[in-house]
Amino acid sequence: MKLKKIVILGSTGSIGINTLRIIERFPERFKVIGLTAYQNSKLLEKQVRKFSPRYAALDKKHIPDFQKIFGKSLKILDVETDLEFLASLPEADIVVIGMRGSAALKPFLSAVRSGKTVAPANKEALVIAGDIIMQEARRHQATIIPVDSEQSAIFQCLNGGKRDELKKVYLTASGGVLLNIPQTKFDQLSVAEILNHPRWQMGKKITVDSATLMNKGFEIIEAMRLFDLKLSEIQVLIHPEAAIHSMVEFKDGSIIAQLGITDMRLPIQYALTYPNRIETGLKALDFFKLKALTFKEPDFKKFPCLALAVDVAKKQGTLASVLNASDEQAVEAFLDGRIGFTQIYNIIEKVVSRHRVIAQPSLTQILDADRWAREETEQLIAKKR
Ligand code: MG
């Protein structure tokens, strides 16, 4: 068995932590060679002690401390400037992208251009520049194995037929914390209540995106990019039990679903061991406890962020970059208590409607749109105070 050498971008977030839990169980299969974090230097220090990577990147201000602690045994890098270098290390086999936000775009491209196997949990890079990423992946024979649970499910289901036999993808959504709460109550909920997701343990930003269903909207765009799907080939299904992580319908009417417990270690491990499967040590899905699988149509009126994302998916171009950047800023403002919950949509919608779309944008135009949207969003947030 060849030892797979792994770089984890964002090792102190929930994806990074779960990736390391898997690697720890299989030291004969995997070796960590690079870890990165921004401010959580304490956890990164523990991870470096335990996994002894060759490289670690973090915020500049923590670098002197790290140099004192680890001396020459560790190559210490700056997380702001050195991620592209780390993502393209000649000795790396797999690059796991656990970091969130559009900051992942450049290292993602760097990994792809180096022909790596890339395991992205990050959806922002695919949402804003998925066309460019997929094009470069083909050109450099990089393999992209998505870690986002729905995309992993679609990827796995597609093994059940040929790509040109695909008819439709069912993208499932648990419905988030607000599924059974009337819209009129949304603004009365505290940030902590919004963060209390019923099915998945995730970072704060994505948990708010799950409450607004913007996350599902991003996943529509992500799936379009990853699997070269038309918008009309994707059906969002609200599925509160979250047992089915997505499904693919083929031409003959056969539908293949991927089911499992809601634990991110499943899709992460699949990406690390692909095309093989090995045991996870996790408990299996219990159908007797589950009892029923239920489905509902999404309510676009109650969750306007989903409708907005669908509209953006239709228009494409730089608009996806604007949607993503505006959402990042607005959700951050909500988490800081600067705006209310329903203002998240109101603000993003204004920014999206003001944007002049550029079709088939270059990377520079995508990043310009990102910057423009952040400024525009911040101005609207400031006015709301
Ligand atoms: Mg997901």
Side-chain angles (χ1 to χ4, degrees), residues 80-252:
E80 291 292 341
T81 55
D82 299 334
L83 291 188
E84 286 166 88
F85 165 77
L86 257 187
S88 62
L89 283 177
E91 59 267 44
D93 299 301
I94 304 177
V95 179
V96 175
I97 308 184
M99 58 189 287
R100 67 174 181 83
S102 46
L105 176 55
K106 285 185 174 169
F108 196 146
L109 275 172
S110 164
V112 157
R113 285 172 179 151
S114 315
K116 304 295 181 200
T117 292
V118 187
N122 174 290
K123 62 191 72 175
E124 291 90 340
L126 285 162
V127 165
I128 70 177
D131 285 347
I132 297 174
I133 289 172
M134 297 311 285
Q135 218 172 52
E136 292 293 290
R138 278 189 294 275
R139 182 176 301 157
H140 299 278
Q141 282 152 19
T143 309
I144 298 178
I145 307 165
V147 166
D148 191 1
S149 62
E150 294 79 358
Q151 316 298 347
S152 172
I154 297 166
F155 186 96
Q156 294 181 54
C157 293
L158 282 171
N159 292 336
K162 296 195 192 76
R163 176 60 186 79
D164 61 0
E165 294 164 350
L166 177 145
K167 191 172 162 198
K168 195 178 199 177
V169 163
Y170 289 97
L171 187 66
T172 55
S174 69
V177 71
L178 301 175
L179 181 64
N180 298 314
I181 294 175
Q183 200 173 357
T184 49
K185 297 249 163 71
F186 284 3
D187 275 329
Q188 296 162 25
L189 297 171
S190 66
V191 171
E193 284 170 305
I194 297 283
L195 289 178
N196 187 22
H197 194 282
R199 299 281 167 202
W200 293 96
Q201 289 282 322
M202 303 176 288
K204 285 181 184 177
K205 155 75 167 55
I206 187 171
T207 305
V208 176
D209 282 342
S210 297
T212 60
L213 290 195
M214 184 65 97
N215 183 53
K216 210 47 59 180
F218 286 147
E219 285 176 359
I220 293 175
I221 301 171
E222 191 187 9
M224 288 170 77
R225 313 288 211 215
L226 276 170
F227 307 110
D228 195 20
L229 297 167
K230 295 190 204 91
L231 183 58
S232 59
E233 292 172 319
I234 301 173
Q235 172 68 58
V236 174
L237 268 188
I238 303 294
H239 168 46
E241 295 81 13
I244 298 174
H245 299 147
S246 278
M247 306 185 260
V248 171
E249 183 177 337
F250 291 96
K251 271 179 184 167
D252 60 354

Side-chain angles (χ1 to χ4, degrees), residues 269-282:
Q269 182 170 304
Y270 181 75
L272 297 184
T273 61
Y274 176 82
N276 304 310
R277 294 179 187 272
I278 55 175
E279 53 87 25
T280 61
L282 299 171

